[in-house]
Amino acid sequence: MDHPDAVTPPAKSLISPSLFALSIFYGGMVCIAGVLGNKQVSLGPLAVEAGIFAFLLLVVTSSAVAELHGPSVAGRLVRVGFVPLLVSLGLSWVVWMLPPSPEMIPANRDAIQLVLGSTWRIWLGGIVAYGVSQTLNVTIFAALKGREGSKLLWLRAAVASMLSQVVDTLLFVTIAFYGAFPIGQLIVGQMIAKVTLSAVLVPPLIYLFVGLGRRLDRA
């Protein structure tokens, strides 16, 4: 029997600081990716939807979680990511349906209605592409780590990102636009842009995210 004056040890935290921070960041990127995707940006010879920047941060975040906490935790993060994704889509539809204020500037009113009023095929394409590509990213990243351990973090993250972004492009463009217009050139252009950005941006970002995660856990 414990002594009545014994001090109860503090309860262990249920979630590590790094996992908490990366999960919050991941949820934010899930919500903003669809909004950014309404604009195409020009990067030299490449034309790419701006949502790719949020999606690259998603793959880096899920890879960092897999590196720090294991692929099973990263897989759960991807699945939980459907919650903010679906809620943000639902709220977008509700706001689009509500009548605008008569005092709203007409140009702003028309622009926001255009941004929020995506077709059901674009919404479906985004949901399917997110689930498959993010799961594939974690799976490939974990498989590469199983072969050569913890070395070459930058290469594992870049390869997983490039392959998952190719699948993401195939699924999204096909579901969203097949039959509406020829999509072959669009798919090829998006793949080249996403693979290039993955090769350039993912290697430094994965070291940044993993390093910050380890620092948070040490603190």
Side-chain angles (χ1 to χ4, degrees), residues 39 66 80 118 145-146 186 192 197:
K39 180 176 181 178
V80 172
S118 299
K145 184 175 183 178
L186 176 62
I192 293 174
L197 289 173

Side-chain angles (χ1 to χ4, degrees), residues 169-187:
T169 301
L170 281 172
L171 289 173
F172 177 76
V173 175
T174 301
I175 295 173
F177 304 118
Y178 181 77
F181 56 84
I183 61 175
Q185 186 175 358
L186 176 62
I187 288 178

Side-chain angles (χ1 to χ4, degrees), residues 15 74 100 124 146 153 161 179-180 189 195 200 212:
I15 183 172
L124 177 63
L153 173 61
S161 177
V195 168
V200 173
L212 288 175

Side-chain angles (χ1 to χ4, degrees), residues 14-40:
L14 297 178
I15 183 172
S16 70
S18 64
L19 182 57
F20 177 79
L22 290 172
S23 298
I24 295 296
F25 183 80
Y26 189 90
M29 290 301 102
V30 169
C31 294
I32 197 62
V35 177
L36 297 179
N38 286 281
K39 180 176 181 178
Q40 284 195 337

Side-chain angles (χ1 to χ4, degrees), residues 54-217:
F55 272 103
L56 284 176
L57 290 173
L58 285 175
V59 299
V60 170
T61 305
S62 60
S63 295
V65 170
E67 181 73 9
L68 295 168
H69 304 285
S72 62
V73 176
R76 288 198 295 271
L77 176 67
V78 172
R79 292 190 293 274
V80 172
F82 277 106
V83 176
L85 174 60
L86 294 175
V87 170
S88 63
L89 290 177
L91 286 176
S92 296
W93 181 80
V94 170
V95 172
W96 179 73
M97 290 290 293
L98 291 173
S101 167
E103 299 179 358
M104 193 172 182
I105 299 173
N108 293 348
R109 177 198 61 208
D110 297 340
I112 192 62
Q113 287 298 96
L114 183 62
V115 169
L116 296 178
S118 299
T119 67
W120 69 267
R121 288 183 59 179
I122 292 178
W123 286 355
L124 177 63
I127 294 170
V128 173
Y130 162 79
V132 174
S133 65
Q134 293 298 314
T135 301
L136 183 63
N137 175 73
V138 171
T139 302
I140 294 173
F141 182 85
L144 292 175
K145 184 175 183 178
R147 286 180 173 273
E148 50 79 28
S150 60
K151 301 177 181 178
L152 300 177
L153 173 61
W154 67 272
L155 181 60
R156 289 184 281 122
V159 170
S161 177
M162 287 187 284
L163 295 178
S164 65
Q165 289 304 303
V166 167
V167 173
D168 178 271
T169 301
L170 281 172
L171 289 173
F172 177 76
V173 175
T174 301
I175 295 173
F177 304 118
Y178 181 77
F181 56 84
I183 61 175
Q185 186 175 358
L186 176 62
I187 288 178
V188 172
Q190 291 291 303
M191 282 185 180
I192 293 174
K194 291 180 178 181
V195 168
T196 302
L197 289 173
S198 294
V200 173
L201 298 179
V202 169
L205 287 174
I206 188 65
Y207 281 111
L208 175 63
F209 278 49
V210 171
L212 288 175
R214 288 174 175 161
R215 170 176 263 183
L216 286 171
D217 288 342

